[in-house]
Amino acid sequence: MSQRGGAQRPNGAAQGKICQFKLVLLGESAVGKSSLVLRFVKGQFHEYQESTIGAAFLTQTVCLDDTTVKFEIWDTAGQERYHSLAPMYYRGAQAAIVVYDITNQDTFGRAKTWVKELQRQASPNIVIALAGNKADLSNKRMVEYEEAQGYAEENSLLFMETSAKTAMNVNDIFLAIAKKLPKSDSGGQSGQRPQPGVRLNEQNQASEGGCCK
Amino acid sequence: MALGKAQFGVSTFFAASHSNDKCGANGLPLTPNSIKIVGRFQHLKTLDHHHICKYLDCVRGRHERLMIVQEHYTNNLNLGWKTGKFQSEDNLVKLAFEVLQGLYYMNQHEVTHRNLSMDNILLDTEGKVKLSNFGMYYMTNGGAYVSFPVGQMCYMCPEVICSGPVQIDEETELPVLPPSGPKVDVWSLGCIALELISGMKLWEGVSNQQIARNVLVFLKPDCDVINSICTELKCVEKLQSLSPYLNDFIRKCLTVDPTHRPDPSELVHHEMFTVHKLKQVSPRNGYHLFTSKLRCKDLELPELTENDVELDNDHLSERNMEEVYYLWRLAGGDLEGVLKKAGMIKAKPPVTILPSLTLDNGEVLGQGRDQMELLDETVVLLSQDQLRQRLSDIDEKSYYKLLEDESTITEGLPSSPSNVDLNDTASLPLVIKEKDVEYQFHRVILYERLINGYPYKKAHIWKEARVDVPPLFRNLVWAALLEVEGDIQAQYDSIDKETPIGTDRQIAVDIPRCHQYHELLASPTAHAKFKRVLKAWVVSHPEYVYWQGLDSLCAPFLALNFNNEALAYACIKAFIPKYLHKFFLKDNSPVIQEYLAVFSHLIAFHEPELSNHMEGIGFIPDLYAIPWFLTMFAHVFPLNKIVHLWDTLLLGNSSFPLYIGVAILKQFHDRLLSFGFNECILLFSDMPVIDLQQCVKDAIQIFCNTPKSATYRQHAKQTPKKNETRPNVSYYSRDYNEKPSNELSMEPLTLDELRSEKCPRISAEDLLELGEFIGNANTRSPTKKRGNGKPLLLVIDVRGPDEFKRGMIPGSVNIPFQSAFSPEGDLVTCPAVTTLKQSKSLVKVVVGSRGRNASNFANELVRLDYTRVCTLHNGIDVLRHTGILSVPPPEI
Ligand SMILES: Nc1nc2c(ncn2[C@@H]2O[C@H](COP(=O)(O)OP(=O)(O)OP(=O)(O)O)[C@@H](O)[C@H]2O)c(=O)[nH]1
Ligand SMILES: [Mg+2]
């Protein structure tokens, strides 16, 4: 089940459409958001992955049949205090991965809050995936697979348990998102960059305090 | 402690290696034992006593090898005992007394020797005891981190032999059972004393197993331990012939039941020592830098005796041992090389250490170690010849640098008689300077005196820090620059760092991710300290909260003050208000937003082309610069770079970090200009390698070319300094906000105002100062005329010509906003525009009356890539009362 190395890169043959999607990762601090991105983009795992301040940005391309899907990934800071930064990143995002840590029940609760917020505030067509990370630590599991799966079904989320450490389901979850994203010719977002640079002075709904509004 | 006649010795051993696939509870690889040892070792470096050898260094080699450097003497009890010297009761008592003092001292500092043996009792050139190798048990956490037993079997007391190997709780790193305490060493001392009396070795050649059996026999209730050991050593009568005091002493030492056996703190008061009139020499009044006590109280000046008049020529021996060792390394000292030469590290052909089998999960089988994991206690001497050679040309006066003569400060660095001009070295790149033994020698001598003179020598320290900061004293110099004073230890101790608080979880997940490539910070010891310092800050600043990033900010201070948590804490406590005032408020949004808006202005001011491009693609500071400023770059650079950055940062004012930010962008100017949004953001997602020295240089230059009020921030610290103690030595250390404000000063602007303008505003004060206008007496800006009389700024008045004619700033040009730009957006040519175009390097101050014309005009100039454009805050009206406005000369 586990794979090593990054996701498939486009092979030389220039075929089909190119789609570009903005994806955001949300979830409590230290659940492994940055680790998932690093695994997906570079095929690496750093045990001492630095904490994220503000947000980090990376891109990765995957091939789906005849379509090349380019992800522009915003990896956000998990600490609750940075919450007010998040809208800047999920606004205009076509996909989101909400991550929790299967060994920590609180992080699952936090994931649910994120899902709620996305459903309320993000663009209505956003594809949301729920990732139960650190699946390699199943002996310390605190969140049951069935519980999370049930929740995901109720909310029509994609769901997988992942491990950035072993690479389990990491590419798969991104691929599953890519499959679910609309790739119509017109709305293929190709070349149309999402707007991460929304001016921050724009009115901002989620706004109690925090770093940047 | 001064070097004296001490030598340096190195020994080596292996930490126990973890098997490859072993993971901790978090699924991540275990911290290598060598790292844990390095972490624990640091404490040993702080021990300083005349009867113990100073620990100097602990270096990790390959394959979990550790190399330990310690003060060393070639003579030891194992060599000395055969002389029979210690069979004399006087000498024996004196020896025991010195050993006990050493033990007592280390016990007071939570260290138990647990390894006392004849080899470890060194004798210095005067025959005084110096305990060595006493840190093995401590640094290996009771032996848990090594696969060999610590201590010699024949000197082990019964309870140690019974307890078996130590076990460590993996989560807490604490031993499951309490580790050996001070009393175990007392037993060993008793054995050694009997050996010395008898002139024989106990159980020589007997197997460890047999020794264990022999010792266990002592546990029988009716066993006469002394008698059976003396029988073994054939010294029953000998002992009886000695004084009852000595007999009693030995009996006490060899008490089987540890609860009845005295510990060193009790034994130093044994009657035997009183009878021999031995008194404890209290260690010389420890000198403390940060304290509220009187530092010179009880200060005893050494008395010069006849012998001292013939001064020793060995000036190096007067220097601190740590300092000499530091220089030794700079002079090319190479531990691994020395050990290899001595055959302690045997280089095997690599092929012989290849594993026989590697599984696909990375596990290897049948890999031979390049040496046994067992302990070889051999100590190899580190020759000081090379160092002495390198320093041989140094004039002896340089060893005793006088500070009182302030004229030498202005002269700069002393020139060395060795014809190496230190001023030349001073201008070399930092990395070279820091490796230059002779240069560092001079810096260390100078700084040591300056630091000892802190806070009185504050001005001088500031001045020298502008040249550079020697790595050996960086922690103290930083503390001095941050003006840390007072009894920091008492302050730190008074803070509750243990009671759980809400932030604990975040701190606990952040610390193991913070600068973990740094071997000191990766150790469990470091994590514990890190947690305490962070908690101390959070707990004692209720108005602030823990933001992720505070950990990174703390890391440099902790790494530099590893053995002084209180100082690390005092530094971070002083650093935050200076550079990050209000950044750690729960709602820090207005503060950070203002900071970033001012940053954008600065970019536009100095790099308009870049600013236009980045704005155009939406690459705004909010997306990349928050980790820069929130952590003062500590999150984005490795520690070895941060220290150099902060060496300068600490000399700057609260706005200086903004200039560093601009300097960083400047370094990537060309790349950023050619990049689109994605590439730009990717570039800074993982900070690329930058030339830091250049960056710092640029930042200073940019600073000097910016009017101070341009970085005015309402959220910056406002309170002017009450009693000014800081010397005005650093032209870029002053804060705009420290000056009292008047009607010509900057005033708070709303965020929207800040954002709607591309350029900074400057205050009328700055205009007057830079324009060298002699204003009314009400201006507090010193208006000193510059020698060359060249103007620094060009004032562009954008009001209508009529208004302009009624009163204008002398020397200003008039480009009325209404008619300034062509429909294409270019400046319409006219004489004033020509003047503007010819004034590329000047600061261009756009002045209007009330309304947005001036800022709109300035925005247009930036759009046209004009550099150094700013506007006058409050427009021409603020100058009405200064009396500088005049009517233009009639046009001819
Ligand atoms: N065992 C295990 N550890 C993981 C896994 N993913 C991440 N980690 C570890 O968990 C810690 C936190 O991971 P990060 O990727 O930094 O977490 P994050 O969600 O980005 O955290 P913030 O940046 O603070 O929001 C790191 O020490 C990782 O090495 C995993 O799948 N298994
Ligand atoms: Mg992260």
Side-chain angles (χ1 to χ4, degrees), chain A residues 33-35 49-52 75-77, chain B residues 513:
Chain A
K33 297 179 296 297
S34 304
S35 302
Q49 178 65 40
E50 295 136 37
S51 64
T52 309
D75 166 26
T76 62
Chain B
R513 296 187 286 169

Side-chain angles (χ1 to χ4, degrees), chain B residues 84-104:
Chain B
K85 177 182 168 192
F86 299 102
Q87 283 176 323
S88 117
E89 180 163 340
D90 278 357
N91 288 336
L92 179 61
V93 171
K94 188 164 159 286
L95 179 96
F97 190 58
E98 292 180 355
V99 171
L100 279 172
Q101 283 180 72
L103 290 175
Y104 179 32

Side-chain angles (χ1 to χ4, degrees), chain A residues 28-30 47-49 51 53 57 72 79 81-82 88 137 140 165 193 196 200-201 209-213, chain B residues 25 27 29 505-506 513 545-549 588-589 593 617 622 626 630 635 677-678 681-682 685 755:
Chain A
E28 178 61 89
S29 180
E47 57 236 52
Y48 307 124
Q49 178 65 40
S51 64
I53 294 174
F57 178 83
E72 295 179 329
Q79 192 190 11
R81 298 196 193 294
Y82 285 94
M88 168 161 96
L137 298 178
K140 296 191 78 190
K165 186 186 160 191
R193 191 176 56 68
L200 298 162
N201 50 349
C211 191
C212 296
K213 288 184 203 171
Chain B
R505 192 236 164 209
Q506 192 64 50
R513 296 187 286 169
V545 296
Y546 177 87
W547 282 83
Q548 259 182 319
N588 61 7
S589 172
Q593 288 309 311
I617 58 173
D622 311 64
I626 291 176
L630 191 75
H635 191 73
F677 176 84
N678 281 5
I681 196 99
L682 281 172
S685 266
R755 281 176 172 154

